[in-house]
Amino acid sequence: MAEVLFRAYSPLILWTGLGILLFRFLPQSFPRLLGRSLYWVGIPLEIMALARQADFSGQVGLAPFVTIAVLLLGLALSWVSWRGLHYLNQSWQRPPEVLSAIEQDLLATHIAEGSVAAAPLFDLARHRKGSFFLAATLGNTGFVGLAIVPSLVSHDYLSWAVFYSVTHNLIGIYVVGVLVASYFGRTQEQNHWWIQVRDMLMVPSLWAFAIGFFTRSVALPVVLESGLNASIWLVIPSAFLLTGIRLSQLKGIQSLRMALIPVMLKTMVLPLVVGVGLTLLGITGDPRLVMVLMAGMPSAFAGLILAEEYDLDRDLITSSIALTTVTLLLMIPVWVTLFH
């Protein structure tokens, strides 16, 4: 087990740490250039290579259904948790003397307006609710998931990870994520249904998966095949490097308290439910571990992009990304021990 974790953690810690150290010395345009390069070229090449090598027989078709179930469960648990925060606000309000100066001024304003009689525990504004849902539901299954899972499971079961990642990016980010952000964010007159359809059809990872899947029986020239397989080992450190750079740029520390709930849902509750559920369905071994790991990936950077686009709470998203990335290191040994 120690050797397996060392193989998984080494590139994660090394390249993410390097990204954290180097981001101040890199051009400001570099993270965006690297991110777009990974989105349009790197991750699609990795998915294409894995799709050509992976075995899609047996029960692998269950992976998309598990992915959708995890997304829906994440939304349901987020809603229940949000209702719980509302209940806490109503039942437990702090006396003015324990508030900060800023909070006292805000409280005085609200009292003058007749909107509240005491300070609430949590700021439950509508734009924050959207970020709360995104942080607890969307995971970094592409950059982080596809970089970690191959080190922890047999090569024969990588198809489960590929199916999960493609489904999550297509349904999770471009359907669930956009709908949640659009609903809780500002109104946009140009946000028509056909734009979402167009965006889904333009997802490069989807096309890469289709090409890789339908060309499995086609023998490519040795140079192309070798280059395609070698691209995986370039994409993985690049993805972790970008993760480190983005973590260095996060400034959402003030939202850590609110972020704790999405962190627990994303990295602890959802993977545990997936593991137990698959066990009850008779799915064990590496397929089960793949689904558990992918369900527990850190909150997605795509959530931050959606927060920027739809004017949601950016600090809550960034705090969730930072905390779930750290928590991932602590939870991987737990999931490997319980569900391998």
Side-chain angles (χ1 to χ4, degrees):
M1 168 120 164
E3 182 181 353
V4 171
L5 292 177
F6 179 79
R7 289 201 309 268
Y9 283 178
S10 295
L12 173 62
I13 296 174
L14 174 64
W15 292 103
T16 303
L18 185 61
I20 293 174
L21 293 175
L22 294 181
F23 90 100
R24 296 180 180 177
F25 307 100
L26 296 172
Q28 292 186 352
S29 60
F30 180 78
R32 178 172 173 79
L33 176 62
L34 179 58
R36 291 182 64 83
S37 299
L38 285 170
Y39 178 81
W40 289 102
V41 181
I43 297 299
L45 281 178
E46 181 183 17
I47 288 179
M48 185 186 301
L50 292 175
R52 284 181 56 83
Q53 301 170 14
D55 179 13
F56 291 95
S57 60
Q59 297 173 310
V60 69
L62 183 63
F65 295 99
V66 174
T67 310
I68 295 173
V70 170
L71 290 170
L72 295 177
L73 180 60
L75 289 175
L77 292 176
S78 300
W79 182 83
V80 171
S81 300
W82 193 261
R83 296 301 303 171
L85 294 179
H86 269 289
Y87 175 78
L88 289 177
N89 265 359
Q90 294 172 359
S91 61
W92 182 18
Q93 295 179 327
R94 296 172 293 171
E97 57 267 19
V98 303
L99 303 178
S100 66
I102 295 177
E103 289 175 321
Q104 288 181 15
D105 291 341
L106 183 60
L107 173 61
T109 301
H110 287 325
I111 292 177
E113 295 173 351
S115 57
V116 297
L121 276 172
F122 301 99
D123 177 8
L124 302 181
R126 181 179 176 84
H127 73 290
R128 176 163 287 198
K129 184 176 183 180
S131 294
F132 187 91
F133 280 30
L134 293 178
T137 304
L138 302 183
N140 198 332
T141 60
F143 291 167
V144 179
L146 291 180
I148 287 181
V149 169
S151 301
L152 298 171
V153 302
S154 170
H155 185 274
D156 295 335
Y157 297 100
L158 292 182
S159 54
W160 289 73
V162 175
F163 256 26
Y164 193 107
S165 181
V166 171
T167 306
H168 183 276
N169 281 277
L170 179 61
I171 305 298
I173 294 175
Y174 290 100
V175 177
V176 174
V178 170
L179 289 177
V180 168
S182 178
Y183 180 76
F184 291 107
R186 64 184 185 275
T187 302
Q188 293 189 347
E189 292 77 6
Q190 298 179 346
N191 190 20
H192 301 293
W193 65 269
W194 58 267
I195 294 179
Q196 273 74 60
V197 174
R198 181 199 63 187
D199 289 344
M200 285 188 290
L201 294 177
M202 291 179 62
V203 176
S205 296
L206 177 64
W207 289 100
F209 172 77
I211 293 172
F213 179 81
F214 289 110
T215 61
R216 287 178 299 161
S217 59
V218 178
L220 298 179
V222 176
V223 175
L224 286 179
E225 193 74 57
S226 300
L228 191 61
N229 294 331
S231 68
I232 298 176
W233 306 110
L234 177 63
V235 171
I236 290 175
S238 298
F240 287 144
L241 185 68
L242 178 63
T243 300
I245 294 173
R246 291 304 189 193
L247 286 177
S248 299
Q249 297 174 327
L250 299 182
K251 300 177 182 179
I253 303 303
Q254 61 268 36
S255 295
L256 288 179
R257 185 179 63 176
M258 281 289 292
L260 289 177
I261 296 177
V263 169
M264 288 189 292
L265 293 179
K266 190 73 193 68
T267 61
M268 300 178 188
V269 177
L270 286 176
L272 181 61
V273 172
V274 169
V276 173
L278 290 178
T279 301
L280 294 176
L281 292 175
I283 308 297
T284 59
D286 279 354
R288 178 179 60 184
L289 180 60
V290 171
M291 296 291 95
V292 169
L293 291 174
M294 294 298 272
M297 284 298 115
S299 297
F301 283 108
L304 183 57
I305 296 174
L306 291 172
E308 293 284 355
E309 179 67 22
Y310 293 94
D311 199 22
L312 301 177
D313 187 339
R314 300 163 184 80
D315 288 345
L316 178 56
I317 292 283
T318 54
S319 297
S320 298
I321 293 172
L323 288 177
T324 51
T325 301
V326 174
T327 307
L328 173 68
L329 295 176
L330 303 176
M331 296 308 299
I332 284 180
V334 176
W335 305 137
V336 172
T337 301
L338 292 177
F339 298 115
H340 193 272

